[in-house]
PDB file of all heavy atoms in Angstrom:
ATOM      1  N   ALA A  43     -47.804 166.793 -75.928  1.00 98.00           N
ATOM      2  CA  ALA A  43     -49.114 165.967 -75.686  1.00 98.00           C
ATOM      3  C   ALA A  43     -50.158 166.367 -76.649  1.00 98.00           C
ATOM      4  O   ALA A  43     -51.299 165.871 -76.562  1.00 98.00           O
ATOM      5  CB  ALA A  43     -49.521 166.337 -74.207  1.00 98.00           C
ATOM      6  N   GLY A  44     -49.879 167.193 -77.627  1.00 98.00           N
ATOM      7  CA  GLY A  44     -50.929 167.677 -78.556  1.00 98.00           C
ATOM      8  C   GLY A  44     -51.107 166.723 -79.741  1.00 98.00           C
ATOM      9  O   GLY A  44     -50.489 165.622 -79.871  1.00 98.00           O
ATOM     10  N   GLY A  45     -51.932 167.274 -80.707  1.00 98.00           N
ATOM     11  CA  GLY A  45     -52.287 166.418 -81.838  1.00 98.00           C
ATOM     12  C   GLY A  45     -51.092 166.164 -82.724  1.00 98.00           C
ATOM     13  O   GLY A  45     -51.022 165.026 -83.266  1.00 98.00           O
ATOM     14  N   ILE A  46     -50.206 167.082 -82.881  1.00 98.00           N
ATOM     15  CA  ILE A  46     -48.939 166.847 -83.595  1.00 98.00           C
ATOM     16  C   ILE A  46     -47.950 166.208 -82.738  1.00 98.00           C
ATOM     17  O   ILE A  46     -47.242 165.262 -83.060  1.00 98.00           O
ATOM     18  CB  ILE A  46     -48.352 168.174 -84.151  1.00 98.00           C
ATOM     19  CG1 ILE A  46     -49.276 168.797 -85.190  1.00 98.00           C
ATOM     20  CG2 ILE A  46     -46.949 167.914 -84.762  1.00 98.00           C
ATOM     21  CD1 ILE A  46     -48.955 170.268 -85.543  1.00 98.00           C
ATOM     22  N   TYR A  66     -42.153 167.681 -73.588  1.00 99.00           N
ATOM     23  CA  TYR A  66     -42.623 168.744 -72.643  1.00 99.00           C
ATOM     24  C   TYR A  66     -43.962 169.214 -73.139  1.00 99.00           C
ATOM     25  O   TYR A  66     -44.263 169.403 -74.282  1.00 99.00           O
ATOM     26  CB  TYR A  66     -41.659 169.912 -72.590  1.00 99.00           C
ATOM     27  CG  TYR A  66     -42.136 171.108 -71.883  1.00 99.00           C
ATOM     28  CD1 TYR A  66     -42.131 171.176 -70.539  1.00 99.00           C
ATOM     29  CD2 TYR A  66     -42.804 172.231 -72.555  1.00 99.00           C
ATOM     30  CE1 TYR A  66     -42.707 172.219 -69.776  1.00 99.00           C
ATOM     31  CE2 TYR A  66     -43.332 173.284 -71.890  1.00 99.00           C
ATOM     32  CZ  TYR A  66     -43.275 173.264 -70.488  1.00 99.00           C
ATOM     33  OH  TYR A  66     -43.838 174.351 -69.840  1.00 99.00           O
ATOM     34  N   ASP A  67     -44.881 169.528 -72.138  1.00 98.00           N
ATOM     35  CA  ASP A  67     -46.152 170.197 -72.388  1.00 98.00           C
ATOM     36  C   ASP A  67     -46.643 170.785 -71.072  1.00 98.00           C
ATOM     37  O   ASP A  67     -46.050 170.471 -69.998  1.00 98.00           O
ATOM     38  CB  ASP A  67     -47.177 169.186 -72.942  1.00 98.00           C
ATOM     39  CG  ASP A  67     -48.275 169.856 -73.854  1.00 98.00           C
ATOM     40  OD1 ASP A  67     -48.927 170.834 -73.345  1.00 98.00           O
ATOM     41  OD2 ASP A  67     -48.464 169.484 -75.020  1.00 98.00           O
ATOM     42  N   ILE A  68     -47.708 171.589 -71.151  1.00 98.00           N
ATOM     43  CA  ILE A  68     -48.282 172.103 -69.915  1.00 98.00           C
ATOM     44  C   ILE A  68     -49.046 171.085 -69.145  1.00 98.00           C
ATOM     45  O   ILE A  68     -49.427 171.292 -67.965  1.00 98.00           O
ATOM     46  CB  ILE A  68     -49.055 173.457 -70.151  1.00 98.00           C
ATOM     47  CG1 ILE A  68     -50.045 173.190 -71.343  1.00 98.00           C
ATOM     48  CG2 ILE A  68     -48.088 174.583 -70.500  1.00 98.00           C
ATOM     49  CD1 ILE A  68     -50.960 174.447 -71.549  1.00 98.00           C
ATOM     50  N   PRO A 109     -44.197 172.278 -81.583  1.00 98.00           N
ATOM     51  CA  PRO A 109     -45.591 172.252 -82.079  1.00 98.00           C
ATOM     52  C   PRO A 109     -46.577 172.708 -81.000  1.00 98.00           C
ATOM     53  O   PRO A 109     -47.680 172.197 -80.948  1.00 98.00           O
ATOM     54  CB  PRO A 109     -45.791 170.789 -82.450  1.00 98.00           C
ATOM     55  CG  PRO A 109     -44.943 170.023 -81.502  1.00 98.00           C
ATOM     56  CD  PRO A 109     -43.863 170.975 -80.998  1.00 98.00           C
ATOM     57  N   ALA A 110     -46.132 173.655 -80.132  1.00 98.00           N
ATOM     58  CA  ALA A 110     -47.038 174.128 -79.035  1.00 98.00           C
ATOM     59  C   ALA A 110     -47.890 175.227 -79.495  1.00 98.00           C
ATOM     60  O   ALA A 110     -47.394 176.180 -80.171  1.00 98.00           O
ATOM     61  CB  ALA A 110     -46.168 174.587 -77.883  1.00 98.00           C
ATOM     62  N   GLY A 111     -49.143 175.166 -79.169  1.00 98.00           N
ATOM     63  CA  GLY A 111     -50.035 176.309 -79.556  1.00 98.00           C
ATOM     64  C   GLY A 111     -51.354 175.841 -80.095  1.00 98.00           C
ATOM     65  O   GLY A 111     -51.501 174.596 -80.352  1.00 98.00           O
ATOM     66  N   VAL A 112     -52.277 176.782 -80.367  1.00 98.00           N
ATOM     67  CA  VAL A 112     -53.596 176.309 -80.768  1.00 98.00           C
ATOM     68  C   VAL A 112     -53.595 176.206 -82.282  1.00 98.00           C
ATOM     69  O   VAL A 112     -52.939 176.881 -82.993  1.00 98.00           O
ATOM     70  CB  VAL A 112     -54.697 177.380 -80.312  1.00 98.00           C
ATOM     71  CG1 VAL A 112     -54.955 177.333 -78.814  1.00 98.00           C
ATOM     72  CG2 VAL A 112     -54.341 178.854 -80.837  1.00 98.00           C
ATOM     73  N   PRO A 113     -54.440 175.226 -82.786  1.00 97.00           N
ATOM     74  CA  PRO A 113     -54.654 175.004 -84.212  1.00 97.00           C
ATOM     75  C   PRO A 113     -55.880 175.725 -84.724  1.00 97.00           C
ATOM     76  O   PRO A 113     -56.689 176.224 -83.901  1.00 97.00           O
ATOM     77  CB  PRO A 113     -54.846 173.530 -84.285  1.00 97.00           C
ATOM     78  CG  PRO A 113     -55.442 173.068 -83.006  1.00 97.00           C
ATOM     79  CD  PRO A 113     -55.066 174.064 -81.945  1.00 97.00           C
ATOM     80  N   LEU A 123     -54.367 182.854 -85.423  1.00 97.00           N
ATOM     81  CA  LEU A 123     -53.796 182.155 -84.240  1.00 97.00           C
ATOM     82  C   LEU A 123     -52.758 183.011 -83.558  1.00 97.00           C
ATOM     83  O   LEU A 123     -52.219 182.642 -82.461  1.00 97.00           O
ATOM     84  CB  LEU A 123     -53.150 180.818 -84.665  1.00 97.00           C
ATOM     85  CG  LEU A 123     -54.032 179.867 -85.466  1.00 97.00           C
ATOM     86  CD1 LEU A 123     -53.153 178.673 -86.005  1.00 97.00           C
ATOM     87  CD2 LEU A 123     -55.136 179.379 -84.626  1.00 97.00           C
ATOM     88  N   ASN A 127     -50.719 182.184 -80.004  1.00 98.00           N
ATOM     89  CA  ASN A 127     -49.430 181.495 -80.210  1.00 98.00           C
ATOM     90  C   ASN A 127     -48.241 182.338 -80.142  1.00 98.00           C
ATOM     91  O   ASN A 127     -47.192 181.832 -79.778  1.00 98.00           O
ATOM     92  CB  ASN A 127     -49.459 180.716 -81.546  1.00 98.00           C
ATOM     93  CG  ASN A 127     -50.543 179.572 -81.576  1.00 98.00           C
ATOM     94  OD1 ASN A 127     -51.073 179.289 -80.548  1.00 98.00           O
ATOM     95  ND2 ASN A 127     -50.715 178.969 -82.676  1.00 98.00           N
ATOM     96  N   ILE A 130     -47.043 182.208 -76.599  1.00 98.00           N
ATOM     97  CA  ILE A 130     -46.528 180.828 -76.214  1.00 98.00           C
ATOM     98  C   ILE A 130     -45.111 180.703 -76.744  1.00 98.00           C
ATOM     99  O   ILE A 130     -44.176 180.284 -76.094  1.00 98.00           O
ATOM    100  CB  ILE A 130     -47.470 179.787 -76.774  1.00 98.00           C
ATOM    101  CG1 ILE A 130     -48.837 179.776 -76.108  1.00 98.00           C
ATOM    102  CG2 ILE A 130     -46.835 178.370 -76.699  1.00 98.00           C
ATOM    103  CD1 ILE A 130     -49.892 178.815 -76.661  1.00 98.00           C
ATOM    104  N   ILE A 150     -42.806 174.841 -85.610  1.00 98.00           N
ATOM    105  CA  ILE A 150     -44.000 174.338 -86.220  1.00 98.00           C
ATOM    106  C   ILE A 150     -45.140 175.259 -85.993  1.00 98.00           C
ATOM    107  O   ILE A 150     -46.085 175.465 -86.790  1.00 98.00           O
ATOM    108  CB  ILE A 150     -44.232 172.917 -85.762  1.00 98.00           C
ATOM    109  CG1 ILE A 150     -43.163 171.979 -86.392  1.00 98.00           C
ATOM    110  CG2 ILE A 150     -45.618 172.424 -86.293  1.00 98.00           C
ATOM    111  CD1 ILE A 150     -43.241 170.502 -85.916  1.00 98.00           C
ATOM    112  N   ASN A 152     -48.020 177.845 -85.659  1.00 98.00           N
ATOM    113  CA  ASN A 152     -48.470 178.892 -86.586  1.00 98.00           C
ATOM    114  C   ASN A 152     -48.791 180.182 -85.874  1.00 98.00           C
ATOM    115  O   ASN A 152     -49.151 180.229 -84.659  1.00 98.00           O
ATOM    116  CB  ASN A 152     -49.669 178.351 -87.280  1.00 98.00           C
ATOM    117  CG  ASN A 152     -49.290 177.619 -88.566  1.00 98.00           C
ATOM    118  OD1 ASN A 152     -48.488 178.059 -89.307  1.00 98.00           O
ATOM    119  ND2 ASN A 152     -49.966 176.390 -88.772  1.00 98.00           N
ATOM    120  N   VAL A 179     -40.647 175.311 -89.981  1.00 99.00           N
ATOM    121  CA  VAL A 179     -40.842 173.958 -90.688  1.00 99.00           C
ATOM    122  C   VAL A 179     -41.937 174.054 -91.747  1.00 99.00           C
ATOM    123  O   VAL A 179     -43.088 174.284 -91.396  1.00 99.00           O
ATOM    124  CB  VAL A 179     -41.230 172.899 -89.614  1.00 99.00           C
ATOM    125  CG1 VAL A 179     -41.399 171.535 -90.276  1.00 99.00           C
ATOM    126  CG2 VAL A 179     -40.159 172.848 -88.496  1.00 99.00           C
ATOM    127  N   HIS A 210     -45.339 180.048 -95.118  1.00 98.00           N
ATOM    128  CA  HIS A 210     -46.228 178.954 -94.831  1.00 98.00           C
ATOM    129  C   HIS A 210     -47.627 179.489 -94.474  1.00 98.00           C
ATOM    130  O   HIS A 210     -48.066 179.363 -93.360  1.00 98.00           O
ATOM    131  CB  HIS A 210     -45.699 178.131 -93.677  1.00 98.00           C
ATOM    132  CG  HIS A 210     -46.591 176.970 -93.289  1.00 98.00           C
ATOM    133  ND1 HIS A 210     -46.816 175.904 -94.155  1.00 98.00           N
ATOM    134  CD2 HIS A 210     -47.399 176.781 -92.250  1.00 98.00           C
ATOM    135  CE1 HIS A 210     -47.708 175.100 -93.619  1.00 98.00           C
ATOM    136  NE2 HIS A 210     -48.066 175.621 -92.391  1.00 98.00           N
ATOM    137  N   ALA A 257     -54.037 169.650 -89.578  1.00 98.00           N
ATOM    138  CA  ALA A 257     -53.208 168.489 -89.865  1.00 98.00           C
ATOM    139  C   ALA A 257     -52.324 168.123 -88.691  1.00 98.00           C
ATOM    140  O   ALA A 257     -51.685 169.032 -88.104  1.00 98.00           O
ATOM    141  CB  ALA A 257     -52.349 168.834 -91.061  1.00 98.00           C
ATOM    142  N   THR A 258     -52.343 166.915 -88.277  1.00 98.00           N
ATOM    143  CA  THR A 258     -51.550 166.493 -87.180  1.00 98.00           C
ATOM    144  C   THR A 258     -50.623 165.321 -87.556  1.00 98.00           C
ATOM    145  O   THR A 258     -49.472 165.312 -87.345  1.00 98.00           O
ATOM    146  CB  THR A 258     -52.432 166.014 -85.971  1.00 98.00           C
ATOM    147  OG1 THR A 258     -53.370 165.040 -86.424  1.00 98.00           O
ATOM    148  CG2 THR A 258     -53.155 167.168 -85.335  1.00 98.00           C
ATOM    149  N   MET A 261     -48.417 166.262 -90.461  1.00 98.00           N
ATOM    150  CA  MET A 261     -47.507 167.315 -89.913  1.00 98.00           C
ATOM    151  C   MET A 261     -46.425 166.537 -89.062  1.00 98.00           C
ATOM    152  O   MET A 261     -45.248 166.953 -89.099  1.00 98.00           O
ATOM    153  CB  MET A 261     -48.259 168.313 -89.084  1.00 98.00           C
ATOM    154  CG  MET A 261     -47.248 169.360 -88.513  1.00 98.00           C
ATOM    155  SD  MET A 261     -46.351 170.243 -89.817  1.00 98.00           S
ATOM    156  CE  MET A 261     -44.616 169.965 -89.307  1.00 98.00           C
TER     157      MET A 261
HETATM  158  N1  LIG B 401     -45.846 174.289 -89.695  1.00 50.48           N
HETATM  159  C1  LIG B 401     -46.825 173.541 -90.114  1.00 50.48           C
HETATM  160  O1  LIG B 401     -46.775 173.100 -91.294  1.00 50.48           O
HETATM  161  C2  LIG B 401     -48.017 173.243 -89.301  1.00 50.48           C
HETATM  162  C3  LIG B 401     -48.266 173.887 -88.080  1.00 50.48           C
HETATM  163  N2  LIG B 401     -49.266 173.528 -87.291  1.00 50.48           N
HETATM  164  C4  LIG B 401     -49.457 174.265 -86.083  1.00 50.48           C
HETATM  165  O2  LIG B 401     -48.966 173.470 -84.980  1.00 50.48           O
HETATM  166  C5  LIG B 401     -49.569 173.904 -83.774  1.00 50.48           C
HETATM  167  C6  LIG B 401     -50.009 172.798 -82.952  1.00 50.48           C
HETATM  168  O3  LIG B 401     -51.081 172.090 -83.540  1.00 50.48           O
HETATM  169  P1  LIG B 401     -51.813 170.730 -82.884  1.00 50.48           P
HETATM  170  O4  LIG B 401     -50.790 169.877 -82.344  1.00 50.48           O
HETATM  171  O5  LIG B 401     -52.749 170.292 -83.830  1.00 50.48           O
HETATM  172  O6  LIG B 401     -52.513 171.493 -81.637  1.00 50.48           O
HETATM  173  P2  LIG B 401     -53.029 170.859 -80.273  1.00 50.48           P
HETATM  174  O7  LIG B 401     -53.899 171.795 -79.596  1.00 50.48           O
HETATM  175  O8  LIG B 401     -53.517 169.476 -80.559  1.00 50.48           O
HETATM  176  O9  LIG B 401     -51.688 170.697 -79.425  1.00 50.48           O
HETATM  177  C7  LIG B 401     -50.961 171.825 -78.999  1.00 50.48           C
HETATM  178  C8  LIG B 401     -50.280 171.432 -77.713  1.00 50.48           C
HETATM  179  O10 LIG B 401     -49.548 172.591 -77.299  1.00 50.48           O
HETATM  180  C9  LIG B 401     -49.593 172.597 -75.903  1.00 50.48           C
HETATM  181  N3  LIG B 401     -49.271 173.896 -75.355  1.00 50.48           N
HETATM  182  C10 LIG B 401     -49.986 175.008 -75.254  1.00 50.48           C
HETATM  183  N4  LIG B 401     -49.302 175.975 -74.643  1.00 50.48           N
HETATM  184  C11 LIG B 401     -48.107 175.480 -74.363  1.00 50.48           C
HETATM  185  C12 LIG B 401     -46.936 175.995 -73.739  1.00 50.48           C
HETATM  186  N5  LIG B 401     -46.864 177.227 -73.270  1.00 50.48           N
HETATM  187  N6  LIG B 401     -45.904 175.144 -73.617  1.00 50.48           N
HETATM  188  C13 LIG B 401     -45.959 173.880 -74.075  1.00 50.48           C
HETATM  189  N7  LIG B 401     -47.008 173.358 -74.683  1.00 50.48           N
HETATM  190  C14 LIG B 401     -48.073 174.177 -74.832  1.00 50.48           C
HETATM  191  C15 LIG B 401     -51.099 172.203 -75.542  1.00 50.48           C
HETATM  192  O11 LIG B 401     -51.159 171.778 -74.235  1.00 50.48           O
HETATM  193  C16 LIG B 401     -51.242 171.069 -76.578  1.00 50.48           C
HETATM  194  O12 LIG B 401     -50.899 169.812 -76.038  1.00 50.48           O
HETATM  195  C17 LIG B 401     -50.677 174.913 -84.168  1.00 50.48           C
HETATM  196  O13 LIG B 401     -50.251 176.173 -84.041  1.00 50.48           O
HETATM  197  C18 LIG B 401     -50.905 174.529 -85.662  1.00 50.48           C
HETATM  198  O14 LIG B 401     -51.460 175.586 -86.426  1.00 50.48           O
HETATM  199  C19 LIG B 401     -50.110 172.526 -87.684  1.00 50.48           C
HETATM  200  C20 LIG B 401     -49.988 171.821 -88.831  1.00 50.48           C
HETATM  201  C21 LIG B 401     -48.909 172.154 -89.764  1.00 50.48           C
END
Side-chain angles (χ1 to χ4, degrees):
I46 296 167
Y66 173 80
D67 206 305
I68 49 174
V112 291
L123 306 172
N127 290 354
I130 293 174
I150 292 174
N152 270 317
V179 181
H210 179 68
T258 53
M261 182 58 236

